[in-house]
Amino acid sequence: MDTNGAYILRVEDLKKYFPLRRGLLGRGIAHVKAVDGISFAVRRGEILGWVGESGCGKSTLGRTVLQLERPTSGKVFFDGQDLTQLGGEQLRRLRTKMQIIFQNPYSSLNPRMPIGRALIEPMVVHGIARGKQAQERAIELLQLVGLNPYFINRFPSEFSGGQRQRIGIARALALNPSFIVCDEPISSLDVSIQAQIINLLQRLQQQLGLTYLFISHDLRMVQHISDRIGVMYLGKLVEIGPTEEMVHHALHPYTQALWEAVPIPDPEVEEKRQVAILEGDVPTAANPPSGCRFHTRCPYVMPVCREEEPALVELAPGHFAACHLHKR
Amino acid sequence: MPLLQVEDLRVHFRTKDGLVRAVNGVSYELEEGDILGIVGESGCGKSVSALALLRLIPEPPGEIAGGHAYFEGQDLLALKRKELYGIRGRKIAMIFQDPMTSLNPVMPIGEQVAEAIWVNSSVSRREARRRAIEVLAQVGVPAPAERYKDYPHQFSGGMRQRVMIAMAISCQPRLLIADEPTTALDVTIQAQIVELVKRLQRELGMAVIWITHDLGLVARVARRICVMYAGRIVEIGPIKEVFSRPQHPYTLGLLASVPRGRTGRRQPLRHIEGAPPDMISLPPGCAFQPRCQFCAEECLQEEPSLVALGDGHLAACHRLGRLPVEALAPKVAS
């Protein structure tokens, strides 16, 4: 894969295990395999949607990609450089290029810092701008995200949830990044505000030529905003491909079940629809099932699924799935 | 006579910043066996208006400031606490978003269900236990006799919600109030719970009030929909009618802001400008007026009341019939 041209980010066999202490004195350590051997690449200028249910490891993946959590193993190439090999200063310099937008902008903003300063501080720390120049850039950023620059000296508590998320976005943009991980950016917002923020993210992406890894459990929003979609289940990437393919020709039974489960906001359609319900619960990531991790809930389970873990293979151009049903 | 008739319900909260009119004159009717979805954003009063029916509002700071709620002819809001016990849990049951906060963490789940049965009907402990196992099986808890002695923490979120539902339906209520019961659950588990409640509703013939902020979910569950904004009902009617011909600008905006598949690559969603109002200082006139693209002079003056449009469809807007709703109605695509 060409990391300097078409791809901005390439992730190779990334793993992030969290130790789980058991017994007295923490002996007999088990692990939660939050991210367990994931490989994918992100094209420059695309929005890659990333979905999965709670506890599947999607947020950990986003944080590990950015090295906010150091991976257990694996590589993350950003603009051709392996981030996992970089330390301190080198990584800090690259951080200006990759940013994150969090789910809850309130907990990620310092309540005692006026929003203008929250925007200026990263610029000063990273030596991008200072003084009057930084102030002007802060004003520009506020305008860019649709906030009145008049509010520059106000505190986060004086803003509504949607406005705070705009501030979170402005701060992510302060360092002129090229890549942004959006970690559930709309899930704490009201319905009428969600569309505002999605439209804003979309406009900024086009206007500034940004690349997003858009993590969400809201499948309809992901479908709306993404060029491609990746689906995660219990630490594994089970399917990835172009949005249209993923929605209308999903290959993995789990992806199919996810789309099936999402209600369609049209009572006429819902009335006629027979929803095929996926049985059972999501197993725990501390003790995932053998073979294919989805086999305990899969309606098409075969003997091989219990034994052997399926590999992620390309089944149609750019469309990969990890399922024994589609062995070639 | 409808099963439930709510008339001009008002619930206030006294806070240090001022009086919050959380529910500000809400009226609706619910027929036997009907499913009413109440939708709206956080703080619109959808939960409070339902909690008030069972007088589950913490007083103080809350207070039922007026109105009536006739259930089988009795005004729930005028009943004595003691009289209410005969209704709560027996005739009207409730399930909540987070079952962990409603279940007793140090009591086996089977015993909790059995206790609900024993308290609400005159049966022996033994019979209550037998019925508890039966009802746990009915809601799809696998091997209920073996799991009778298990504690809530040994169950997954979806299973805990099933246990809550078992307790709620154990006395065959006439009305089930479901307050965002699937919001905390994953989408595949949510689908399981929704199907379960729909099946139980059919089997028991009970009426359901389903509170949610999810327009997709309400389309799947409800037969009628009630849209709330700033403590008031802005539109109510048969679900298909409201979805296909929304009349209130807020309903219109909500429906348009939901993504419905790709109607053209990278097309922005229609969104509603601004944010819900501060409930302590509501804007003059119509509460939606500052965000409404059709706002006119009259909207600033007077609060609109619900107007009947036929077939049980009502909306509260000064400009009804004068809005270009056809042009704005969301185009359905999959």
Side-chain angles (χ1 to χ4, degrees):
Chain A
M1 255 179 257
D2 175 13
T3 44
N4 293 318
Y7 292 91
I8 190 167
L9 183 87
R10 199 176 81 219
V11 174
E12 276 180 17
D13 200 24
L14 193 69
K15 292 182 182 167
K16 178 66 190 176
Y17 295 175
F18 294 102
L20 191 71
R21 284 165 207 287
R22 278 197 188 133
L24 270 178
L25 306 171
R27 265 180 297 194
I29 289 179
H31 288 95
V32 174
K33 301 176 176 181
V35 176
D36 198 12
I38 282 189
S39 305
F40 66 97
V42 187
R43 294 187 190 122
R44 203 174 291 279
E46 80 168 335
I47 302 180
L48 175 59
W50 205 263
V51 301
E53 298 181 279
S54 51
C56 75
K58 56 189 192 299
S59 283
T60 305
L61 177 85
R63 298 175 58 83
T64 313
V65 162
L66 294 182
Q67 306 298 306
L68 297 173
E69 306 264 9
R70 284 299 199 160
T72 306
S73 70
K75 294 185 187 337
V76 178
F77 292 99
F78 182 81
D79 270 339
Q81 272 183 291
D82 185 359
L83 301 178
T84 63
Q85 297 304 314
L86 300 181
E89 189 50 33
Q90 288 168 302
L91 193 59
R92 213 173 67 93
R93 241 180 287 131
L94 270 176
R95 283 222 191 281
T96 59
K97 297 262 180 283
M98 15 176 229
Q99 289 290 314
I100 186 163
I101 298 167
F102 295 101
Q103 172 175 347
N104 186 345
Y106 198 55
S107 60
S108 56
L109 291 168
N110 182 343
R112 291 197 184 80
M113 193 186 274
I115 59 154
R117 253 186 71 204
L119 295 177
I120 289 167
E121 198 166 62
M123 295 186 229
V124 174
V125 167
H126 285 275
I128 286 187
R130 55 201 294 191
K132 200 163 183 315
Q133 203 192 355
Q135 179 85 10
E136 276 165 17
R137 170 108 181 103
I139 289 170
E140 242 175 65
L141 284 166
L142 289 176
Q143 285 168 332
L144 190 63
V145 299
L147 285 175
N148 191 337
Y150 177 73
F151 298 142
I152 194 160
N153 289 321
R154 297 205 179 170
F155 291 89
S157 59
E158 297 173 71
F159 294 90
S160 69
Q163 288 173 322
R164 278 179 212 149
Q165 192 54 291
R166 288 175 194 267
I167 298 164
I169 293 169
R171 197 174 55 164
L173 294 174
L175 301 175
N176 273 321
S178 45
F179 174 66
I180 299 180
V181 172
C182 307
D183 188 6
E184 301 267 10
I186 55 164
S187 27
S188 65
L189 302 174
D190 271 322
V191 183
S192 72
I193 312 295
Q194 287 186 350
Q196 293 178 3
I197 297 298
I198 287 292
N199 287 344
L200 172 66
L201 286 170
Q202 219 164 29
R203 174 168 66 75
L204 292 171
Q205 191 261 346
Q206 282 160 23
Q207 202 173 327
L208 306 173
L210 300 170
T211 306
Y212 293 157
L213 178 63
F214 187 89
I215 300 166
S216 174
H217 67 271
D218 184 336
L219 278 89
R220 292 274 161 215
M221 274 305 181
V222 168
Q223 176 189 2
H224 173 79
I225 201 173
S226 310
D227 298 296
R228 290 192 302 142
I229 299 176
V231 177
M232 228 176 137
Y233 188 76
L234 284 178
K236 292 278 181 191
L237 177 59
V238 298
E239 185 167 2
I240 184 167
T243 300
E244 285 297 308
E245 285 266 307
M246 292 293 285
V247 177
H248 299 292
H249 310 285
L251 296 168
H252 198 286
Y254 179 60
T255 314
Q256 292 168 357
L258 278 181
W259 287 113
E260 185 75 27
V262 185
I264 296 164
D266 182 343
E268 304 269 356
V269 176
E270 280 294 336
E271 187 181 39
K272 292 180 195 108
R273 208 151 80 98
Q274 254 316 350
V275 184
I277 304 273
L278 193 60
E279 299 292 333
D281 277 319
V282 186
T284 147
N287 185 20
S290 64
C292 171
R293 290 179 186 191
F294 186 58
H295 87 248
T296 54
R297 303 174 76 194
C298 184
Y300 312 109
V301 62
M302 306 176 289
V304 61
C305 306
R306 298 189 179 93
E307 310 286 326
E308 206 180 300
E309 197 171 311
L312 194 69
V313 274
E314 187 166 12
L315 296 162
H319 189 171
F320 298 76
C323 177
H324 289 302
L325 283 175
H326 302 286
K327 233 181 208 154
R328 290 200 302 188
Chain B
M1 189 177 62
L3 178 69
L4 175 72
Q5 195 173 353
V6 179
E7 280 177 12
D8 199 30
L9 177 65
R10 290 168 192 273
V11 184
H12 296 171
F13 287 90
R14 289 177 198 284
T15 71
K16 62 175 175 22
D17 298 323
L19 188 69
V20 174
R21 290 183 173 84
V23 179
N24 200 5
V26 158
S27 306
Y28 62 89
E29 289 177 2
L30 182 67
E31 298 293 334
E32 292 262 1
D34 201 0
I35 310 176
L36 175 69
I38 302 185
V39 301
E41 301 178 274
S42 47
C44 73
K46 57 187 190 300
S47 285
V48 173
S49 64
L51 288 168
L53 300 178
L54 289 175
R55 308 251 289 274
L56 294 173
I57 302 293
E59 300 177 36
E63 148 189 38
I64 293 173
H68 305 279
Y70 298 102
F71 177 79
E72 294 183 332
Q74 277 179 301
D75 186 355
L76 297 174
L77 306 183
L79 288 181
K80 296 200 178 73
R81 288 270 161 195
K82 225 172 166 183
E83 295 170 312
L84 210 54
Y85 295 141
I87 291 177
R88 251 191 228 157
R90 296 189 198 186
K91 291 190 165 170
I92 305 178
M94 197 153 179
I95 53 176
F96 299 93
Q97 176 172 338
D98 184 3
M100 205 52 189
T101 55
S102 331
L103 290 170
N104 182 344
V106 294
M107 188 176 183
I109 59 104
E111 281 176 25
Q112 296 191 48
V113 179
E115 190 179 77
I117 295 168
W118 183 74
V119 165
N120 288 319
S121 52
S122 48
V123 295
S124 65
R125 289 267 184 192
R126 208 192 154 92
E127 172 64 9
R129 186 192 148 89
R130 194 190 62 75
R131 292 246 296 261
I133 293 172
E134 210 174 84
V135 72
L136 282 170
Q138 196 182 4
V139 299
V141 172
E146 285 87 83
R147 301 216 64 180
Y148 191 87
K149 289 266 174 228
D150 285 355
Y151 290 89
H153 74 268
Q154 294 167 289
F155 285 74
S156 67
M159 277 300 152
R160 273 182 222 138
Q161 196 54 275
R162 284 176 196 266
V163 173
M164 280 301 301
I165 293 169
M167 287 169 73
I169 63 153
S170 62
C171 294
Q172 314 208 328
R174 301 314 302 147
L175 170 61
L176 177 71
I177 300 174
D179 188 4
E180 305 240 15
T182 63
T183 303
L185 302 174
D186 280 320
V187 59
T188 58
I189 309 297
Q190 172 182 313
Q192 293 173 358
I193 298 295
V194 166
E195 286 314 301
L196 172 66
V197 174
K198 281 171 76 173
R199 175 169 64 77
L200 294 170
Q201 187 274 333
R202 280 195 305 271
E203 286 174 6
L204 305 173
M206 60 188 176
V208 175
I209 294 178
W210 191 297
I211 299 161
T212 179
H213 63 272
D214 184 334
L215 289 162
L217 199 58
V218 81
R220 180 173 284 182
V221 175
R223 293 194 203 127
R224 289 172 70 231
I225 180 176
C226 165
V227 183
M228 285 188 70
Y229 189 79
R232 291 174 70 94
I233 295 176
V234 296
E235 187 157 9
I236 184 168
I239 185 110
K240 289 186 198 169
E241 168 77 14
V242 172
F243 268 70
S244 57
R245 279 177 290 279
Q247 297 299 315
H248 194 284
Y250 178 63
T251 315
L252 208 63
L254 274 187
L255 288 171
S257 65
V258 179
R260 290 149 201 273
R262 311 238 282 186
T263 44
R265 209 177 153 282
R266 292 292 164 86
Q267 260 204 353
L269 294 166
R270 279 218 200 92
H271 65 250
I272 305 173
E273 296 290 346
D278 177 356
M279 294 297 287
I280 289 171
S281 52
L282 287 173
C286 171
F288 185 61
Q289 148 272 111
R291 304 177 74 188
C292 184
Q293 55 180 320
F294 308 112
C295 179
E297 195 53 40
E298 53 198 318
C299 308
L300 309 177
Q301 311 298 334
E302 211 178 312
E303 213 167 0
S305 38
L306 282 169
V307 175
L309 304 161
D311 296 326
H313 188 176
L314 297 94
C317 174
H318 287 304
R319 311 211 58 211
L320 281 181
R322 285 181 285 159
L323 302 179
V325 284
E326 296 298 325
L328 287 164
K331 303 276 177 294
V332 177
S334 178

